[in-house]
């Protein structure tokens, strides 16, 4: 007869660790202002493009479009600045936390979101750097979980050295956890 050593004890809610005690690390202080500049540049580009279209003498525009184009330019500018302000405020509250067994990413201005990934479930990690990020020394850390094609989450706005250290720690720590 086989002896069954399986146990599954009940855990009370009071015994669970709280996610609110995470030691949140802010993103680079360059990240939010850089995103704000990129957004403002795009808004300026759209508004200037609209004004060039309005004042250009080469192609005759229909009267209805000519009359409504300034209205659309103003709407684009106002909505763009509002979006930029909300995006900037949202960027300021983003943070991450690394513990011995898991990685957490917190985002959201009005609707808070905390994504947690056990280190043992991380399939691989990529450092992503666009041309603007390379210019200012920032990187985005993409975390891929086991069994998924897309990244589980990404932590933007990290200093390159910090992103490389996080990646290296997770890869080394993951190997130690899995193989003892």
């Amino acid at each position: 007869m086989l002896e069954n050593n399986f146990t599954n004890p009940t855990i009370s809610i009071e015994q669970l660790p709280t996610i609110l005690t995470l030691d949140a690390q802010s993103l680079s202080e360059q990240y939010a202002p850089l995103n704000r500049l990129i957004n403002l540049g795009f808004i300026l580009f759209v508004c200037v493009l609209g004004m060039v279209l309005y004042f250009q003498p080469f192609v005759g525009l229909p009267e209805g479009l000519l009359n409504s184009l300034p209205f659309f330019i103003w709407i684009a500018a106002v909505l763009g600045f509002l979006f930029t302000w909300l995006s900037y405020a949202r960027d300021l509250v983003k943070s991450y936390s690394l513990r011995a067994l898991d990685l957490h990413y917190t985002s959201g201005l009005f609707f808070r979101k905390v994504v947690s990934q056990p280190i043992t479930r991380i399939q691989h990690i990529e450092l992503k750097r666009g041309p603007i990020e390379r210019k200012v020394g920032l990187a985005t850390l993409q975390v891929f979980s086991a069994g998924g094609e897309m990244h589980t989450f990404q932590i933007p706005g990290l200093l390159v050295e910090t992103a490389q250290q996080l990646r290296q720690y997770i890869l080394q720590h993951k190997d130690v956890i899995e193989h003892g």
Side-chain angles (χ1 to χ4, degrees), residues 55-67:
F55 289 113
Q56 60 84 24
F58 306 110
V59 178
L61 297 174
E63 190 69 29
L65 179 61
L66 206 55
N67 291 337

Side-chain angles (χ1 to χ4, degrees), residues 7-17:
T7 61
N8 192 6
T10 303
I11 299 174
S12 70
I13 296 296
E14 292 79 26
Q15 292 175 317
L16 295 176

Side-chain angles (χ1 to χ4, degrees), residues 19 22 97 103-107 113-117 152-153:
I19 198 105
L22 291 174
S97 300
L103 178 65
H104 306 271
Y105 175 63
T106 305
S107 63
K113 178 180 177 181
V114 178
V115 181
S116 301
Q117 180 70 42
T152 305
F153 62 92

Side-chain angles (χ1 to χ4, degrees), residues 22-76:
L22 291 174
D23 183 23
Q25 304 294 315
S26 298
L27 304 180
S28 170
E29 58 188 33
Q30 296 172 319
Y31 176 68
L34 179 66
N35 270 355
R36 182 178 58 197
L37 284 176
I38 291 170
N39 288 337
L40 289 174
F42 179 74
I43 294 162
L44 183 63
F45 174 75
V46 168
C47 291
V48 167
L49 189 65
M51 289 173 57
V52 166
L53 185 62
Y54 183 74
F55 289 113
Q56 60 84 24
F58 306 110
V59 178
L61 297 174
E63 190 69 29
L65 179 61
L66 206 55
N67 291 337
S68 60
L69 198 54
F71 174 74
F72 288 125
I73 293 170
W74 277 104
I75 291 295

